[in-house]
Amino acid sequence: MSLNFAAPSMDATPVYLTDAQSLKDVLQALPEPVQTWADAQQFKGAFGTSLLCPDAQGKPELALLGLGDERARRRQRFCLAAAAASLPSGIYKLENDFPFQNKHYEVLGWLLLGYSFDKYKSSKGKNIKLVAPDWVDVTRIEAMASAEALTRDLVNIPASDMGPDALADRAAQLSAEFGATFEVIVGEDLLQRDFPMIHAVGRASATAPRLIDIRHGTSGPKVVLVGKGVCFDTGGLNLKPGGSMGLMKKDMGGAANVLGLAKMIMALKLPVQLRVLIPAVENSVSSASFRPQDILTSRKGLSVEINNTDAEGRLVLADALSYADEEDPDLIISMATLTGAARVALGPDLAPFYASSDDIAAPLIKAGEASLDPVWRMPFWDPYETMIESQIADLDNAPSGGFAGSITAALFLRRFVSKPERFIHFDIYSWNPAAKPARSKGGIGQGLRAILTALPDILELK
Ligand code: BES
Ligand code: ZN
Ligand code: ZN
């Protein structure tokens, strides 16, 4: 599997981009047999279609790609990838322009066609390669594709091979690749170093809980990415029913996303002091499990009444957020598959995020639209603060009533940072339930390109 551009080659098949509107004009500029062939094949330039046109010897001379009409393009992202996916394996090069909303990210979509989760499969898929058009920033687009592939792999690999230990190994590998410093605090050391909630959530598993800590860069604003790394979420003693547990290998999606984001930031040398914190745990059932009605004292000192052991993500994140906060960073971003409520609210396509400042939210939304990575702002709704307060402790981890579950989880996290105006939180799903153009079924990055593109704006980088 390679998500790179093909080297320029004499053998590359020329590709002409068309849609319902432009088809006639595009064909007019091509040799007459191509027009005859396109007519005979009833090629209309519909969304997700392609037509290979043979020369007199029957060899492919060129390909037409159909990009559909505006309505179809509104309903699906990555129209270029959608059409290219229907081509046979081979090397292709773009011959004409098309008024894409953003051509760089359309080309990224083509590269992402190269992703498939085939680690456990003996047969591999197609290989449809593109020669980089001369207008493309190859380094940037390839870095985005490779980061997205990392995120997808981390989520897709099952918990049997992606427990807290394996996740830490992957993080160490990534650090080594970019000369970042890597530290991990494991098991009982978490208690010694004062991460009681990370330890409590993860202590029932045969694989010890741990806190991953990566640092990269020595100058520029301090940015900390905090990712939920629950490698499997059984729900704990408040065991999830089978149907709800089925997908819970993906509960480290936040970790997978922040590692993908970190990979892009490091590869593209963004001038920031980057730190990545990942509490990596398995929420398991054993006699060592934390229990409903336990009261935990967090690193920050706030006590938390456990009303549901399935609301574990906010607990491990809380300790990691306090730790991040102690160095007074310029920006903290948390990413987590935190609540079922977020999935219900926005579904798998749109990434819900929380930011109190318009100066942060606006660039994120704009960058998300431009980079085909849509994000949607949710409110830190202060009047719901009372819902996360307990009668017998400072906080309650699982408000009863079930109202506004994603908002109350975000409010809970916000209690652990001292500058809420410099805090962004993403409550993502990180899973694509059905294959779409450039978006394979399974683990998927959400908000990565939006954040990467908005960061210079948010941090006022020169
Ligand atoms: N990992 C889940 C959230 C989740 C569920 C994300 C399904 C995506 C899809 C999380 O740990 C959880 O179970 N949260 C509970 C919280 C509740 C008990 C307050 C939830 O959302 O139901
Ligand atoms: Zn849970
Ligand atoms: Zn969870």
Side-chain angles (χ1 to χ4, degrees):
M1 187 180 67
S2 126
L3 290 106
N4 296 326
F5 288 104
S9 143
M10 299 287 287
D11 296 336
T13 306
V15 164
Y16 291 85
L17 307 174
T18 68
D19 65 358
Q21 258 192 337
S22 65
L23 180 61
K24 215 166 141 236
D25 291 344
V26 172
L27 285 177
Q28 226 140 48
L30 293 172
E32 211 174 298
V34 173
Q35 297 184 31
T36 313
W37 181 254
D39 274 354
Q41 299 291 321
Q42 296 170 21
F43 181 75
K44 301 271 193 306
F47 188 93
T49 62
S50 66
L51 182 69
L52 219 47
C53 304
D55 64 12
Q57 279 72 46
K59 291 199 184 124
E61 181 179 25
L62 58 86
L64 299 172
L65 292 189
L67 304 175
D69 55 17
E70 260 173 45
R71 179 163 177 269
R73 290 197 288 272
R74 255 202 314 279
R75 292 167 58 130
Q76 292 244 38
R77 278 181 257 174
F78 297 115
C79 62
L80 178 62
S86 65
L87 289 168
S89 293
I91 301 177
Y92 299 88
K93 60 174 185 215
L94 301 184
E95 286 297 327
N96 64 336
D97 264 341
F98 187 85
F100 287 120
Q101 186 201 335
N102 191 319
K103 59 185 180 179
H104 300 92
Y105 294 101
E106 290 295 346
V107 164
L108 169 69
W110 187 315
L111 291 194
L112 290 174
L113 287 178
Y115 180 83
S116 72
F117 180 53
D118 52 16
K119 183 174 151 68
Y120 298 86
K121 251 182 117 66
S122 34
S123 63
K124 314 285 178 197
K126 286 204 277 188
N127 197 4
I128 309 160
K129 306 285 292 182
L130 177 67
V131 175
D134 53 14
W135 41 260
V136 106
D137 181 343
V138 172
T139 310
R140 187 173 172 87
I141 298 300
E142 285 187 346
M144 287 182 165
S146 135
E148 173 68 25
L150 171 70
T151 299
R152 290 184 191 180
D153 269 345
L154 292 174
V155 176
N156 284 330
I157 295 172
S160 49
D161 288 335
M162 192 50 70
D165 48 354
L167 182 58
D169 288 349
R170 291 297 183 113
Q173 244 177 43
L174 180 70
S175 308
E177 203 182 313
F178 292 97
T181 35
F182 175 85
E183 193 201 358
V184 60
I185 305 169
V186 186
E188 298 303 300
D189 284 356
L190 288 169
L191 292 178
Q192 214 97 72
R193 304 257 318 252
D194 200 14
F195 298 98
M197 298 211 293
I198 300 177
H199 184 270
V201 170
R203 72 191 180 203
S205 168
T207 313
R210 59 205 73 203
L211 178 62
I212 298 164
D213 189 350
I214 302 173
R215 289 173 192 270
H216 184 266
T218 47
S219 60
K222 291 190 206 165
V223 179
V224 191
L225 310 177
V226 182
K228 172 177 173 183
V230 176
C231 294
F232 196 83
D233 184 8
T234 64
L237 293 178
N238 292 114
L239 196 66
K240 284 182 187 287
S244 311
M245 203 192 295
L247 266 182
M248 284 300 131
K249 71 170 182 182
K250 80 169 177 75
D251 212 21
M252 34 62 71
N257 272 270
V258 297
L259 287 173
L261 179 54
K263 187 171 184 183
M264 290 194 286
I265 291 175
M266 295 190 290
L268 300 172
K269 304 187 173 72
L270 237 71
V272 297
Q273 299 183 65
L274 177 68
R275 189 175 189 196
V276 181
L277 288 173
I278 296 173
V281 303
E282 200 182 331
N283 189 16
S284 299
V285 179
S286 85
S287 58
S289 295
F290 73 123
R291 316 159 193 83
Q293 294 192 344
D294 281 355
I295 296 176
L296 306 178
T297 302
S298 63
R299 177 179 182 86
K300 195 182 170 83
L302 293 170
S303 60
V304 182
E305 183 190 357
I306 304 304
N307 264 306
N308 194 322
T309 59
D310 198 8
E312 83 297 338
R314 66 197 74 186
L315 304 173
V316 298
L317 288 170
D319 275 356
L321 284 169
S322 323
Y323 193 35
D325 198 58
E326 287 160 21
E327 284 189 356
D328 194 23
D330 298 288
L331 185 66
I332 301 180
I333 305 177
S334 66
M335 302 189 84
T337 50
L338 201 58
T339 68
R343 174 195 62 159
V344 171
L346 298 188
D349 247 37
L350 261 181
F353 77 93
Y354 295 80
S356 17
S357 146
D358 293 350
D359 294 341
I360 288 180
L364 266 177
I365 293 168
K366 201 169 136 233
E369 279 171 13
S371 60
L372 307 185
D373 186 19
V375 301
W376 203 266
R377 188 182 187 179
M378 306 274 284
F380 278 121
W381 190 251
D382 292 297
Y384 293 163
E385 283 283 2
T386 51
M387 291 196 206
I388 59 167
E389 284 158 4
S390 155
Q391 303 214 318
I392 57 169
D394 297 324
L395 292 168
D396 177 337
N397 85 320
S400 56
F403 290 119
S406 176
I407 298 176
T408 50
L411 292 174
F412 186 98
L413 296 184
R414 192 175 70 167
R415 293 286 184 112
F416 294 85
V417 300
S418 51
K419 286 189 187 144
E421 69 284 3
R422 304 303 296 169
F423 175 51
I424 307 173
H425 162 60
F426 275 81
D427 190 348
I428 52 176
Y429 191 58
S430 206
W431 188 264
N432 184 19
K436 302 246 172 63
R439 307 176 74 233
S440 45
K441 178 176 171 177
I444 197 138
Q446 282 193 288
L448 300 189
R449 292 187 299 278
I451 298 172
L452 181 81
T453 319
L455 265 185
D457 217 345
I458 293 172
L459 298 168
E460 294 173 23
L461 297 178
K462 296 291 167 294

